[in-house]
């Protein structure tokens, strides 16, 4: 029997829904995930929900952490770490994989395991592999636990830039030129793989962008102006992911649009524009999170352009079978057409992040956004849907 159909006891009917906010993780986006978690914890209405913060360390341990959002911030340009927030250096949190049991247990070596109570919904704010890529979503499906955001397939597609582009192309969405190098290709014949990239540059011109295939927050991306910088850029991308992409430069404006699932289906926010960042080569991690480069909300577009990018954002949401929320990133090229760059199924979610800012401008406050996502997850069943 699936957990959503289990009868509730009087105590369950009376108590507030319990939200487990899961953050940190094993990816290179560990720190920004914690910053996001702090903002979400601050925004959750404690009169409506109980909260259980669970941090995942960089080595994969699920740690019990204090409900102290003020400690989950960037300090002196340094990212927070779950290891510093954990209540114990050894204790671990365990979810049951029995769909009929939503009990969360905490155990430490040499101690009797302690029940932490039941969880009704998980709000994952993990970014990157081992959290945003369908792996956590698969665990939650096995556990019968409702969760915020995209399911297993959409999460995996949204994380892997190669297959994301393949899906978009199959649905007729406009995608820019790119080439993919998989681990086996690079390991078996590095010279042939490199030649493919050089031939791609000969066709599309320099500069190029070299990217890890399955990373986010612009981590590991290098803008390469000529052949001399190519090898170093490839090594930087492969430091984060053995599979990498090379993309041509699309000249134009960077436009983003948020998608949020309402009762009647997905709706698009007002779009935003990311202006050129003069202190950085492009809109990289430092520009986004450390130096707080800000976007223009709403983007200065015509009514027709706004309607078009909103339509494309919803089309991308539907093409990848997304749920809950998505931020869709586009280029408005010099010839006036939109080209989709990527989607993010768990976008940056601090109050100053672009996704919440776009919805704030669209009439949905940060607190309302968090509440709507939790409510949608509570009403959505796990399993095939």
């Amino acid at each position: 029997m699936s957990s959503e159909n289990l009868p509730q006891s009087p105590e369950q009917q009376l108590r507030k829904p319990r939200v487990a906010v899961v953050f940190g993780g094993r990816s290179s986006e560990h720190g920004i995930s914690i910053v996001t978690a702090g903002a979400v914890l601050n925004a959750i209405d404690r009169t409506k929900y109980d909260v259980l913060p669970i941090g995942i360390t960089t080595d994969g341990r699920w740690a019990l952490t204090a409900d102290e959002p003020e400690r989950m911030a960037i300090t002196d340009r340094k990212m927070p770490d779950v290891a510093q927030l954990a209540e114990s250096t050894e204790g671990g949190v365990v979810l049951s994989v029995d769909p009929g049991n939503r009990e969360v247990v905490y155990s430490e070596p040499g101690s009797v395991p302690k029940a932490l109570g039941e969880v009704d919904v998980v709000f994952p704010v993990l970014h990157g592999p081992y959290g945003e890529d369908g792996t956590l979503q698969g665990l939650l499906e096995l556990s019968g636990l409702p969760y915020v955001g995209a399911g297993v397939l959409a999460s995996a597609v949204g994380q892997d830039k190669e297959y994301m582009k393949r899906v978009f192309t199959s649905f007729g969405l406009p995608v820019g030129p790119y080439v993919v190098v998989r681990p086996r290709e690079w390991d078996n014949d590095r010279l042939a793989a490199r030649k493919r990239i050089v031939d791609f540059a000969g066709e599309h011109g320099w500069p190029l962008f070299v990217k890890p295939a399955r990373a986010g927050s612009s981590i590991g991306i290098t803008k390469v102006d000529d052949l001399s910088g190519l090898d170093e850029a490839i090594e930087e991308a492969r430091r984060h992911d053995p599979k990498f992409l090379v993309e041509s430069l699309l000249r134009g404006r960077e436009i983003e649009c948020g998608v949020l699932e309402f009762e009647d289906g997905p709706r698009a926010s007002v779009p935003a524009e990311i202006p050129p960042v003069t202190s950085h080569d492009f809109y990289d991690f430092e520009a986004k999170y450390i130096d707080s480069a800000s976007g223009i909300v709403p983007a200065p577009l015509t009514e027709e352009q706004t309607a078009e990018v909103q339509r494309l954002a919803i089309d991308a949401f539907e093409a990848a079978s997304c749920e809950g929320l998505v931020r869709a990133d586009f280029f408005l090229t010099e010839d006036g057409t939109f080209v989709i760059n990527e989607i993010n199924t768990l976008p940056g979610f601090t109050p100053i992040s672009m996704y919440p800012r776009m919805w704030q401008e669209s009439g949905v406050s940060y607190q309302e956004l968090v509440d709507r996502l939790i409510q949608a997850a509570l009403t959505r069943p796990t399993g095939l849907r």
Side-chain angles (χ1 to χ4, degrees):
M1 178 184 288
S2 64
S3 56
E4 63 265 18
N5 296 320
L6 289 173
Q8 289 189 321
S9 67
E11 291 80 8
Q12 288 174 313
Q13 293 171 358
L14 289 172
R15 69 176 177 82
K16 293 180 286 188
R18 197 163 194 219
V19 183
V21 179
V22 181
F23 58 92
R26 294 163 57 188
S27 84
S28 51
E29 297 175 80
H30 179 93
I32 195 60
S33 169
I34 301 172
V35 176
T36 297
V40 170
L41 287 168
N42 263 328
I44 292 177
D45 185 349
R46 304 308 176 93
T47 67
K48 293 177 63 175
Y49 308 104
D50 287 326
V51 175
L52 177 66
I54 301 174
I56 301 178
T57 63
T58 53
D59 60 1
R61 178 172 64 94
W62 288 48
L64 188 63
T65 67
D67 185 5
E68 298 176 354
E70 65 278 3
R71 294 175 60 198
M72 302 178 182
I74 300 172
T75 306
D76 297 327
R77 300 175 69 88
K78 292 182 180 179
M79 288 288 176
D81 192 286
V82 167
Q84 300 167 345
L85 302 168
E87 294 194 350
S88 164
T89 58
E90 295 182 300
V93 174
V94 179
L95 299 181
S96 170
V97 292
D98 175 2
N101 178 14
R102 292 181 175 178
E103 190 84 22
V104 177
V105 174
Y106 177 73
S107 63
E108 291 192 48
S111 301
V112 176
K114 181 173 82 173
L116 299 177
E118 292 190 348
V119 166
D120 298 287
V121 62
V122 174
F123 199 132
V125 291
L126 295 142
H127 302 304
Y130 312 110
E132 189 181 353
D133 60 351
T135 51
L136 175 65
Q137 290 74 15
L139 172 63
L140 297 175
E141 292 285 352
L142 286 173
S143 302
L145 270 173
Y147 53 93
V148 168
V152 175
L153 173 66
S155 297
V157 168
Q159 187 64 42
D160 191 310
K161 293 178 175 63
E162 176 192 358
Y163 287 99
M164 182 196 308
K165 291 175 187 293
R166 290 184 183 275
V167 168
F168 290 159
T169 300
S170 72
F171 277 83
L173 289 160
V175 172
Y178 70 98
V179 63
V180 179
V181 179
R182 296 192 174 117
R184 191 176 292 115
E185 294 177 82
W186 186 254
D187 294 337
N188 290 348
D189 196 339
R190 189 168 301 191
L191 288 176
R194 192 175 185 277
K195 182 179 184 302
R196 281 207 297 129
I197 298 170
V198 174
D199 289 346
F200 178 82
E203 181 180 357
H204 298 285
W206 301 91
L208 301 174
F209 288 91
V210 181
K211 302 181 175 183
R214 295 161 291 194
S217 296
S218 298
I219 289 174
I221 298 178
T222 305
K223 181 183 177 185
V224 184
D225 292 315
D226 54 45
L227 194 60
S228 65
L230 181 60
D231 292 336
E232 185 178 349
I234 291 171
E235 288 309 308
E236 172 60 16
R238 283 176 50 80
R239 198 164 64 84
H240 299 277
D241 188 343
K243 181 168 81 166
F244 64 94
L245 279 81
V246 178
E247 297 176 350
S248 64
L249 173 68
L250 291 175
R251 301 188 185 279
R253 299 159 61 187
E254 291 189 50
I255 306 294
E256 298 183 348
C257 189
V259 179
L260 179 64
E261 198 166 11
F262 285 75
E263 292 78 7
D264 60 350
R267 301 181 194 172
S269 70
V270 300
E273 179 170 3
I274 308 300
V277 184
T278 55
S279 58
H280 297 261
D281 243 3
F282 61 97
Y283 194 44
D284 61 6
F285 181 86
E286 293 259 330
K288 287 179 180 178
Y289 299 114
I290 304 298
D291 295 332
S292 300
S294 58
I296 303 168
V297 188
L301 301 171
T302 66
E303 287 186 16
E304 292 77 13
Q305 288 172 329
T306 296
E308 175 68 1
V309 76
Q310 289 174 327
R311 180 188 68 80
L312 289 170
I314 291 174
D315 285 351
F317 182 95
E318 298 283 28
S321 298
C322 295
E323 294 169 297
L325 72 163
V326 148
R327 193 195 70 230
D329 301 344
F330 298 86
F331 290 102
L332 176 55
T333 61
E334 293 176 338
D335 66 2
T337 59
F338 284 101
V339 174
I340 188 163
N341 183 34
E342 62 183 37
I343 57 170
N344 197 316
T345 56
L346 281 173
F349 211 83
T350 69
I352 63 168
S353 298
M354 295 311 300
Y355 183 85
R357 285 184 60 200
M358 287 187 286
W359 279 109
Q360 176 79 41
E361 191 67 26
S362 304
V364 180
S365 70
Y366 189 84
Q367 289 73 21
E368 183 184 348
L369 191 57
V370 168
D371 186 71
R372 179 170 286 278
L373 289 168
I374 293 172
Q375 286 298 318
L378 283 167
T379 58
R380 185 170 59 236
T382 55
L384 297 176
R385 54 191 183 273

